[in-house]
Amino acid sequence: MINVTAAVTVREDRTAEFEQAVAAARPAMLVDEGCTRWDLQRVSGSQVDYVLLEEYADGDALRRHGSSAEFNAFGEVLKDLVAGPPVISVLRPVGEQSQ
Amino acid sequence: MINVTAAVTVREDRTAEFEQAVAAARPAMLVDEGCTRWDLQRVSGSQVDYVLLEEYADGDALRRHGSSAEFNAFGEVLKDLVAGPPVISVLRPVGEQSQ
């Protein structure tokens, strides 16, 4: 499994729109069976800092996601809503994993 | 569920020790049923940047973890191995979740 975290700061006046945009995009992201998690989180204590917890079956699934029309369309929507570019971390498991 | 990410940069000469310290501490962290995930990841493309993906059943489980002897002992071990303090993000789910 490949976990990915995407941390983003949303413009203060656009958080509701951002959450709706993620909810709207989510089903299409999960259509690809290789995308096993695409869960939005907000950082505790913040109104504008969010993290998407993502998980992919393998590198191919991650590449498919990154080149999908849905992902690109979501990127376009995000441009107006975020205060800066997301910080994406692609993670490699080290040692025993629960998931 | 409460997800937590703990991002840490390890001293270049101590990564093997760090990975062993996490592996050694992990079983005790998972003894508490409320701790449902404590998975070490390394950031792709880096030799020194790691993220612990953690998950807790609820706030009580997270508090138990944070005040446990195992957690404090692990913190002591970390002091010599890391290049700086971990960046901890306690996350609140927003919308539909896969896990």
Side-chain angles (χ1 to χ4, degrees):
Chain A
M1 288 289 181
I2 297 176
N3 286 271
V4 172
T5 57
V8 66
T9 299
V10 176
R11 287 170 48 186
E12 217 168 11
D13 56 338
R14 311 298 290 271
T15 52
E17 267 176 274
F18 170 76
E19 291 185 12
Q20 285 155 16
V22 172
R26 185 168 183 271
M29 303 301 179
L30 295 173
V31 162
D32 186 321
E33 281 177 10
C35 178
T36 49
R37 184 178 199 186
W38 211 70
D39 289 354
L40 183 61
Q41 317 283 316
R42 189 169 54 230
V43 176
S44 189
S46 169
Q47 293 304 315
V48 293
D49 294 320
Y50 291 82
V51 177
L52 257 170
L53 296 178
E54 308 174 36
E55 186 184 84
Y56 300 88
D58 51 36
D60 288 343
L62 177 54
R63 273 184 291 278
R64 282 197 307 271
H65 171 76
S67 58
S68 69
E70 297 79 8
F71 177 76
N72 291 315
F74 179 63
E76 287 303 314
V77 169
L78 272 196
K79 279 181 186 165
D80 295 335
L81 306 179
V82 295
V87 176
I88 312 277
S89 298
V90 176
L91 305 174
R92 305 287 172 188
V94 175
E96 290 277 323
Q97 305 284 303
S98 298
Q99 287 158 16
Chain B
M1 287 290 182
I2 298 175
N3 286 271
V4 173
T5 58
V8 66
T9 298
V10 177
R11 286 171 48 186
E12 216 169 12
D13 56 338
R14 310 298 291 271
T15 53
E17 266 175 274
F18 171 76
E19 293 185 13
Q20 284 155 18
V22 172
R26 185 168 183 273
M29 303 300 180
L30 295 173
V31 161
D32 185 322
E33 282 179 8
C35 178
T36 49
R37 185 178 197 185
W38 210 71
D39 290 355
L40 183 61
Q41 317 283 315
R42 189 169 55 229
V43 175
S44 189
S46 168
Q47 292 304 315
V48 293
D49 294 319
Y50 291 80
V51 176
L52 257 170
L53 296 178
E54 308 174 36
E55 185 183 84
Y56 300 89
D58 52 36
D60 289 342
L62 178 54
R63 273 183 292 276
R64 281 197 307 272
H65 171 77
S67 57
S68 69
E70 296 81 8
F71 177 74
N72 291 317
F74 179 62
E76 287 303 312
V77 169
L78 273 197
K79 279 181 186 164
D80 293 336
L81 305 179
V82 295
V87 175
I88 312 276
S89 298
V90 176
L91 304 174
R92 306 287 174 188
V94 176
E96 289 276 323
Q97 306 283 303
S98 299
Q99 287 158 17

